[in-house]
Amino acid sequence: MADMTAKNKILVLGRPKVNKAQIVNSIVSQTPIDYTTAIDDSEDGAKIAWSLRTRYYQAQLEFWVDNTEPLPSSQIEHMKEWLANPDLHSEEESSDIPVDPSIAQLQEHLSEVVDAVIFVFDPADPSSFTDILPWARFAKFHIPGVLLCVAVSADGKPAEVNKDEWFEWCVANGWEWLDLTDTDPDTEYTVERLREALESNEWANMEQIKKPLNHDNPPAAIPEVAEFPSITTQDTATAEPQEQATKSEWDGFDDVARTLDPARVEAMHQALFSGEHENDDMAGVLARIRSVRDEISQMDQGEARTRAAELAMAVAKMLT
């Protein structure tokens, strides 16, 4: 059962005619949106559990699917004005966003458990975008980790409308724009991107997946570091022949690892994988490893041996 108090909820909001539950199903099952599925009237207030698991962490999340409420005319006009001037509400002016007091109070409670908002609308009904107003206020005041504005067709057919205004508003106000009606085969607007955005969030209840080391196999070689002195090579001047024959690669690795300064290994791990690099793809990681390799190539043999070992341990720490 989902923890009702954990900040692991994903709000999915839109008008009743937009099949929000099907979008959630596509995110969870990693399948295309099925526009032939009938809209379930019971999706108003539906809760859908999701066990998110990536290569490095897992988290128990929950989608809260709900219909947006009709706005009074004054708020609709305000949203139209904001749409025409995307910079209308700077951070200092967020309190000027008009919402009903009951909605503001509800958002106070939601902010304790919600860390992502997915607003869904159909471009074929341009007026439906104004429903984002209360949730734009929620975003300004409570700053959830993920804000997604998703354009989706109720019938799967692209709408012949100019979407630049919506795109510019999203960019100016911190929402990621995803146009699922885009028919370009090379489009970046996909359900996969929706899932990726949710996976990259730092959820309050996320747990790192621990991968046990397999001592039957030595650690894999770091790309292009093999040209340096092996960290498992023994000192043949001091080792007995029988010892050389029986000592495994893992024993040699442990010998070197015990001589390393943990603080230096941690510093290299932080430089390669943490902070601004935390969400980088594998290409970025390999580029930084190659940069360290280039530095090692300028060192003398003893220093290079130690530095290569530190690099191996830093990478091993990321994988475990």
Side-chain angles (χ1 to χ4, degrees):
M1 181 177 293
D3 183 351
M4 296 299 293
T5 63
K7 195 167 184 176
N8 65 338
K9 313 304 185 295
I10 305 165
L11 281 184
V12 184
L13 305 163
R15 292 194 176 181
K17 71 174 185 179
V18 179
N19 203 332
K20 299 175 289 295
Q22 182 54 226
I23 293 175
V24 172
N25 180 67
S26 295
I27 295 172
V28 172
S29 63
Q30 302 185 68
T31 57
I33 296 175
D34 182 3
Y35 291 101
T36 64
T37 302
I39 295 178
D40 185 355
D41 292 336
S42 65
E43 75 173 23
D44 186 2
K47 297 178 180 179
I48 303 170
W50 182 25
S51 295
L52 172 61
R53 185 180 178 90
T54 71
R55 181 177 178 182
Y56 303 112
Y57 78 88
Q58 58 189 359
Q60 298 301 315
L61 309 179
E62 193 169 58
F63 291 93
W64 285 2
V65 184
D66 210 347
N67 293 326
T68 52
E69 298 291 336
L71 298 179
S73 58
S74 60
Q75 293 183 20
I76 292 174
E77 291 305 314
H78 187 93
M79 189 61 220
K80 289 180 179 179
E81 181 184 354
W82 192 1
L83 196 54
N85 179 13
D87 297 318
L88 178 63
H89 289 291
S90 65
E91 185 175 348
E92 294 76 15
E93 298 169 333
S94 298
S95 59
D96 295 335
I97 302 173
V99 296
D100 293 340
S102 60
I103 296 297
Q105 185 176 14
L106 171 64
Q107 291 180 352
E108 287 292 332
H109 296 298
L110 289 175
S111 68
E112 298 177 0
V113 296
V114 170
D115 203 28
V117 179
I118 303 175
F119 174 75
V120 186
F121 80 107
D122 187 350
D125 180 9
S127 64
S128 63
F129 185 85
T130 59
D131 290 3
I132 201 173
L133 177 66
W135 306 105
R137 178 195 180 277
F138 179 79
K140 292 281 188 182
F141 269 83
H142 302 294
I143 317 176
V146 180
L147 295 169
L148 299 167
C149 180
V150 182
V152 62
S153 173
D155 57 8
K157 299 177 181 179
E160 300 299 327
V161 294
N162 189 335
K163 304 165 190 170
D164 291 347
E165 189 177 43
W166 299 319
F167 171 80
E168 291 170 3
W169 183 92
C170 287
V171 171
N173 291 280
W175 291 71
E176 180 175 350
W177 166 260
L178 281 167
D179 182 8
L180 297 186
T181 70
D182 189 344
T183 57
D184 185 340
D186 297 322
T187 182
E188 60 187 21
Y189 302 135
T190 61
V191 173
E192 288 75 15
R193 174 55 204 153
L194 267 173
R195 182 185 174 102
E196 183 182 77
L198 296 171
E199 288 179 344
S200 64
N201 188 43
E202 189 170 341
W203 296 99
N205 64 339
M206 65 192 302
E207 299 176 351
Q208 183 179 6
I209 297 174
K210 298 291 186 180
K211 297 184 179 180
L213 288 174
N214 181 1
H215 287 270
D216 294 332
N217 297 297
I222 304 302
E224 299 186 62
V225 175
E227 66 192 65
F228 304 114
S230 170
I231 61 175
T232 62
T233 301
Q234 300 181 50
D235 186 348
T236 57
T238 59
E240 294 295 330
Q242 182 63 29
E243 183 184 4
Q244 294 181 40
T246 59
K247 207 169 188 181
S248 71
E249 289 184 87
W250 268 102
D251 293 329
F253 183 85
D254 290 342
D255 286 345
V256 176
R258 279 193 291 270
T259 69
L260 300 179
D261 181 351
R264 287 176 59 88
V265 173
E266 176 62 22
M268 179 171 289
H269 178 269
Q270 293 291 329
L272 290 173
F273 306 111
S274 300
E276 62 180 317
H277 303 309
E278 191 170 2
N279 296 319
D280 281 4
D281 57 17
M282 187 54 67
V285 172
L286 291 177
R288 289 192 296 281
I289 290 175
R290 283 194 292 270
S291 177
V292 175
R293 179 210 63 190
D294 292 340
E295 294 176 8
I296 295 174
S297 67
Q298 305 300 316
M299 301 175 181
D300 60 43
Q301 181 171 325
E303 187 180 4
R305 180 189 180 95
T306 300
R307 194 63 170 164
E310 291 171 351
L311 176 59
M313 291 296 288
V315 173
K317 183 175 181 178
M318 184 271 291
L319 296 175
T320 59

